[in-house]
Amino acid sequence: MMLALEPQNDRPWRTPAEWWPRLASATDGVEPPFGVIAVEALAANAHDMLARAQGTPIRVASKSVRVRGVLDAVLALPGFHGILAYTLPEALWLAETHEDVVVGYPTADHLAIAQLAADERLASRVTLMVDSLKHLDLVDRIAPPGQRAAIRVCLELDASYRNPVLGHVGVRRSPVHEVAEAASLAAAIVKRKGFRLVGMMAYEAQIAGVGNQGLSNVAVRAMQKASASELRERRGAAVAEVRKIVDLEFVNGGGTGSLESTHDDPAVTEIAAGSGLFGPLLFDGYEHFQPAPAASFVLSVVRRPTADIATVLGGGWIASGPPGQDRLPRPAWPEGLKYLPREEAGEVQTPVTGPAAAELKIGDRVFFRHVKAGELSEHLNEFLVVEDGRILDRMPSYRGEGKAFL
């Protein structure tokens, strides 16, 4: 079924003692482990993202969802347009039903490139990411220009912040950082037969993906403000130079955490975002927005090793990134549960303690929230779609459809 994501006036998730028992009641009798998508929270997050983007179209980052039913529902809302995929095989799969799919990362998948090059329909719907002529060379070796459909490509500009004191701030993505480097690569791409340069991208991870809430993050907010200012000037200049060479269809930037600053950049024509739809733990640490906990997962209590400890089966669904406490899923309901410092979240079991643990019985359920949005989908075959206190549907994840792209 197609989900209807209507604007929301109420915010029941702001009262945990009402919200989580409502989800628990709706899913009563379902055997864990399972995931839950709350339609009211998902809808609120989608409309909040549109409001923060203030009219700039949002391209949905599929890796932050990995549930086709959710992608379809969000893309049905005016203001969302196109998909940012994370692998070429995924993009080819999604392009069977979607007309505009940009691959967010360069690919070296020989079989997928051959499939793309051999199908004019797919080649018209899928755009590859490049930051080097070597990416074009690889395509040419697999499918020579005269023997394939024209390949759409997007040039990625490095959006990291280079500071004399802090050094390199951001993720290590494209080697193309300077305006002249972008213009030079664009000119070289345009000269190559069998390729069409249709877009540019610059993802400011140091703004979009770094929490900035509280007094302890004053320096982070200062860095993000300076980085946004520097990038606005550099990205604007790079886009202007590339547009002198080729008529770009789109300029992509941003992420869930930077919708405000990215839409304010006149060089950007669309913003890539997806994590904010599920509202994972990662965004609890942001000052300027607070998404609803739309996605969660549920595990069973299977042991009571002591009177004040309850052990759930599984739970070690650790988020990617630098290892640390901030990568652990968090017990959301019952409130007051916490990990044992020497065991924490484990692959086969997760002991929890705290006042609520003493009341848990074998067979009781614990709701958890994951740190990063789409990674939760890799652990589950399906999500229970819940609205108004009842299960509307069971929606498969990529994994549930037999797809594990990365």
Side-chain angles (χ1 to χ4, degrees):
M1 65 176 293
M2 173 68 82
L3 299 180
L5 301 181
E6 302 294 337
Q8 302 292 304
N9 294 319
D10 297 330
R11 298 290 188 268
W13 46 87
R14 293 180 178 173
T15 307
E18 296 179 9
W19 176 248
W20 295 106
R22 181 191 301 185
L23 295 182
S25 177
T27 58
D28 187 40
V30 180
E31 290 298 327
F34 60 86
V36 178
I37 293 175
V39 176
E40 300 96 330
L42 175 65
N45 288 340
H47 287 281
D48 181 63
M49 289 167 67
L50 290 172
R52 292 171 56 216
Q54 295 189 29
T56 303
I58 298 176
R59 181 179 292 275
V60 183
S62 61
K63 79 172 185 63
S64 300
V65 179
R66 307 185 205 195
V67 180
R68 282 206 293 178
V70 173
L71 293 175
D72 292 343
V74 171
L75 287 167
L77 294 175
F80 288 94
H81 178 77
I83 295 173
L84 185 72
Y86 65 110
T87 71
L88 180 53
E90 180 209 14
L92 296 175
W93 183 57
L94 294 174
E96 294 293 342
T97 52
H98 293 275
E99 297 181 352
D100 181 8
V101 186
V102 176
V103 185
Y105 306 85
T107 184
D109 189 316
H110 290 57
L111 294 178
I113 291 172
Q115 182 183 351
L116 175 69
D119 190 320
E120 290 191 4
R121 180 171 175 268
L122 290 176
S124 71
R125 293 181 166 203
V126 174
T127 302
L128 299 185
M129 191 65 59
V130 301
D131 59 40
S132 166
L133 291 180
K134 294 187 182 301
H135 293 134
L136 278 61
D137 294 340
L138 177 60
V139 173
D140 281 346
R141 288 198 301 272
I142 296 168
Q147 303 173 26
R148 67 162 193 257
I151 303 298
R152 295 165 53 88
V153 297
C154 175
L155 189 163
E156 182 167 4
L157 177 73
D158 175 36
S160 64
Y161 181 44
R162 297 179 180 178
N163 182 274
V165 176
L166 300 175
H168 182 280
V169 182
V171 293
R172 298 286 184 174
R173 291 176 64 109
S174 172
V176 182
H177 185 84
E178 303 301 330
V179 173
E181 293 172 333
S184 176
L185 180 55
I189 293 172
V190 169
K191 292 178 182 178
R192 293 285 289 262
K193 293 181 180 180
F195 295 97
R196 290 180 55 212
L197 178 58
V198 298
M200 286 185 65
M201 175 182 176
Y203 170 56
E204 48 264 55
Q206 69 276 12
I207 303 172
V210 179
N212 58 9
Q213 188 179 65
L215 292 175
S216 62
N217 283 314
V218 171
V220 171
R221 292 195 292 276
M223 176 276 293
Q224 290 175 333
K225 182 177 180 180
S227 176
S229 177
E230 183 276 335
L231 181 58
R232 177 186 172 115
E233 179 178 348
R234 179 165 55 86
R235 178 164 51 196
V239 170
E241 288 301 309
V242 172
R243 285 194 181 278
K244 292 178 183 178
I245 300 166
V246 63
D247 185 18
L248 297 173
E249 295 178 13
F250 65 88
V251 177
N252 183 283
T256 292
S258 70
L259 285 166
E260 292 84 354
S261 62
T262 306
H263 93 77
D264 197 42
D265 186 338
V268 173
T269 66
E270 62 176 41
I271 304 171
S275 296
L277 295 168
F278 279 179
L281 280 172
L282 178 69
F283 295 119
D284 284 7
Y286 281 69
E287 185 175 66
H288 52 291
F289 73 105
Q290 287 79 43
S296 56
F297 67 97
V298 180
L299 302 175
S300 292
V301 175
V302 294
R303 281 178 171 160
R304 292 303 316 269
T306 70
D308 60 349
I309 295 175
T311 302
V312 301
L313 188 66
W317 298 359
I318 313 301
S320 62
Q325 294 286 330
D326 62 351
R327 301 291 146 170
L328 298 177
R330 183 183 303 163
W333 187 261
E335 287 188 297
L337 297 177
K338 58 184 180 180
Y339 295 129
L340 301 182
R342 292 187 179 181
E343 195 161 346
E344 296 183 333
E347 178 187 9
V348 294
Q349 69 168 38
T350 298
V352 291
T353 186
E359 304 300 321
L360 289 173
K361 303 181 295 296
I362 289 177
D364 283 349
R365 301 178 303 167
V366 176
F367 280 74
F368 290 80
R369 292 176 62 205
H370 200 265
V371 173
K372 299 185 75 172
E375 292 182 7
L376 174 57
S377 301
E378 294 298 331
H379 296 278
L380 298 163
N381 288 329
E382 65 179 13
F383 285 87
L384 304 181
V385 180
V386 175
E387 185 176 27
D388 293 331
R390 62 189 181 92
I391 298 174
L392 292 184
D393 198 6
R394 290 173 176 261
M395 193 165 283
S397 62
Y398 282 7
R399 170 177 164 167
E401 295 197 65
K403 303 293 184 181
F405 294 108
L406 193 60

